[in-house]
Amino acid sequence: MGRALHPVNARLDDHLPTDHKLSQVYRVGAGLTGLLLVVFGILGLIDQIGFFDTGGDTVLALNTNGALSVLSICIGALLFFGMVVGGTFASTLNIVLGVLFIASGFVNLALLDTGLNFLAFRIQNVLFSFVVGVMLMWFGMYGRVGSALPHDNPYWRARHPEQAAREDRARHVQGRGRAPVVHGRCP
């Protein structure tokens, strides 16, 4: 029953050293996206648009208001924090925020022509949310999911501990100059 509830014996946030080469991908994704959001937010605040103004003020071809600008700066700062921490934290943060951006796109698409559109979204903002969400998810999932992960990948090793241990033993034996033992026999 435990295997059905937890089919993989690995938590995705426990198996990547902070200095692993995959961490660079997660850091770059978080940093570039965070920079884009912070610049957008600062430009929105510089224009001194009302906090909940829905009058159609644009920054970088996206509709904005003070609330959206502040929210963008906060999320950008969170992504910068993820960039600094790196490792699986940055990867998980990218994935979670990517899903939230996609969800935000759908929610704000439903609210476009209603009085509940307090972030002043327009269709270009919705499309931007979808693009940023997919981009963040791609950066976060890079090297974590897929059918062809290399066997030295820490996530593959965590999902296949028995096979990883066998491969480690075989490498250790080969490194000492003897042929590996396969299923109790010498090849």
Side-chain angles (χ1 to χ4, degrees):
M1 183 64 174
R3 186 76 172 157
L5 294 175
H6 302 287
V8 175
N9 270 345
R11 287 185 37 204
L12 288 178
D13 57 355
D14 284 346
H15 301 286
L16 184 68
T18 304
D19 61 345
H20 194 275
K21 60 186 174 183
L22 287 174
S23 183
Q24 294 171 355
V25 175
Y26 308 144
R27 287 175 186 248
V28 167
L32 290 177
T33 308
L35 178 65
L36 176 67
L37 292 172
V38 167
V39 166
F40 173 74
I42 289 172
L43 291 175
L45 289 178
I46 288 173
D47 283 349
Q48 297 181 346
I49 303 166
F51 202 72
F52 290 114
D53 183 22
T54 58
D57 298 304
T58 61
V59 171
L60 301 175
L62 296 172
N63 211 45
T64 191
N65 62 16
L68 184 57
S69 295
V70 169
L71 183 62
S72 297
I73 291 171
C74 291
I75 293 173
L78 183 60
L79 284 166
F80 277 137
F81 179 71
M83 178 187 72
V84 170
V85 172
T88 53
F89 177 79
S91 174
T92 303
L93 181 66
N94 286 344
I95 293 170
V96 168
L97 288 178
V99 169
L100 291 176
F101 264 91
I102 291 172
S104 169
F106 281 117
V107 168
N108 285 298
L109 181 63
L111 299 176
L112 278 182
D113 292 327
T114 69
L116 297 175
N117 186 8
F118 62 90
L119 292 177
F121 262 58
R122 298 287 181 257
I123 193 66
Q124 63 267 26
N125 297 73
V126 170
L127 295 174
F128 178 79
S129 287
F130 290 149
V131 169
V132 168
V134 169
M135 183 176 69
L136 279 172
M137 287 177 58
W138 183 84
F139 275 119
M141 290 181 184
Y142 183 82
R144 280 182 89 158
V145 295
S147 61
L149 292 177
H151 290 205
D152 65 342
N153 181 294
Y155 299 108
W156 182 91
R157 296 178 65 74
R159 291 181 191 120
H160 304 91
E162 297 87 15
Q163 187 173 351
R166 282 193 305 271
E167 290 177 5
D168 287 345
R169 283 191 302 275
R171 263 193 304 278
H172 180 69
V173 169
Q174 284 177 339
R176 293 178 25 208
R178 292 183 283 174
V181 176
V182 181
H183 301 295
R185 299 175 301 195
C186 290

